[in-house]
Amino acid sequence: MNQVTEAELRASFVNCTRGERARIALPGPLATVDFDRLDFLGWRDPKAPDRACLVTQAGDRLVGIVLRAAAKSAKSLTKSTMCSLCMTLHASSGVALFSAPLAGAAGRNGNSVGTYMCADLQCSLYVRGLRKSDAIGRMNETIDQAERVDRLRRQVGLFIDNVLASNLV
Ligand SMILES: [Zn+2]
């Protein structure tokens, strides 16, 4: 994705109120972020780790989604899980179920969409082999890195579409 500014980031959020948007904790210094290797910018709020954000380009528009991580169930600690955006297999602590309120009235009425994602939101690094998952039996995928990047972008696009869909109703 392209370099973005803090003001652009803050203005990008589509599924929260104006007050929430003003309070979102932005990630560390953007000057140190290598945007060339990111399909989306994702981060957890260091002060409220159940909150997370995902910002990406959708066409020529920057779209930010606020997310909330679900509390872990004890049962999930025993099995590996897969990120539904980048398809990386993790030990269960490496994947979290995030829910995103829908944009617009549907979200204000309490509707949300949930998806399993890399808990650190670094899918872009996993698909490029720049970060390794802690899963023991890593899946042997037959597709190459460029295809994994394409698939990640498609999945992120679908997720954004799901969050925005309420605006079409
Ligand atoms: Zn992922």
Side-chain angles (χ1 to χ4, degrees):
M1 61 187 285
N2 299 326
Q3 175 85 40
V4 296
T5 66
E6 291 199 352
E8 286 167 342
L9 271 190
R10 195 174 290 287
S12 73
F13 291 99
V14 295
N15 66 336
C16 60
T17 65
R18 195 173 298 185
E20 287 165 340
R21 191 184 294 161
R23 290 192 299 272
I24 288 170
L26 296 178
L30 295 173
T32 63
V33 174
D34 185 354
F35 284 93
D36 282 346
R37 62 186 197 186
L38 293 182
D39 306 298
F40 66 85
L41 183 64
W43 70 95
R44 304 284 287 251
D45 181 340
K47 294 204 188 88
D50 64 323
R51 290 171 184 273
C53 298
L54 181 164
V55 178
T56 191
Q57 259 138 342
D60 52 5
R61 180 181 171 203
L62 197 64
V63 176
I65 306 286
V66 295
L67 303 161
R68 168 130 350 172
K72 275 221 167 286
S73 71
K75 198 174 154 203
S76 72
L77 293 172
T78 57
K79 62 174 189 211
S80 299
T81 37
M82 189 190 287
C83 171
S84 57
L85 296 183
C86 68
M87 313 295 167
T88 298
L89 198 62
H90 290 273
S92 70
S93 61
V95 165
L97 176 60
F98 289 97
S99 69
L102 296 183
R108 289 193 291 277
N109 291 330
N111 297 294
S112 64
V113 55
T115 191
Y116 285 92
M117 295 183 202
C118 295
D120 58 7
L121 298 134
Q122 299 303 313
C123 302
S124 307
L125 303 186
Y126 291 111
V127 294
R128 288 168 177 77
L130 298 168
R131 187 172 286 198
K132 297 276 181 234
S133 108
D134 54 0
I136 296 163
R138 205 173 305 133
M139 201 171 45
N140 276 322
E141 283 210 278
T142 51
I143 64 171
D144 66 20
Q145 183 176 306
E147 288 174 282
R148 282 201 291 272
V149 170
D150 280 349
R151 182 175 60 189
L152 170 58
R153 290 180 179 174
R154 274 199 310 278
Q155 293 299 112
V156 172
L158 289 172
F159 179 64
I160 300 279
D161 286 349
N162 285 339
V163 174
L164 291 174
S166 57
N167 284 343
L168 305 174
V169 182

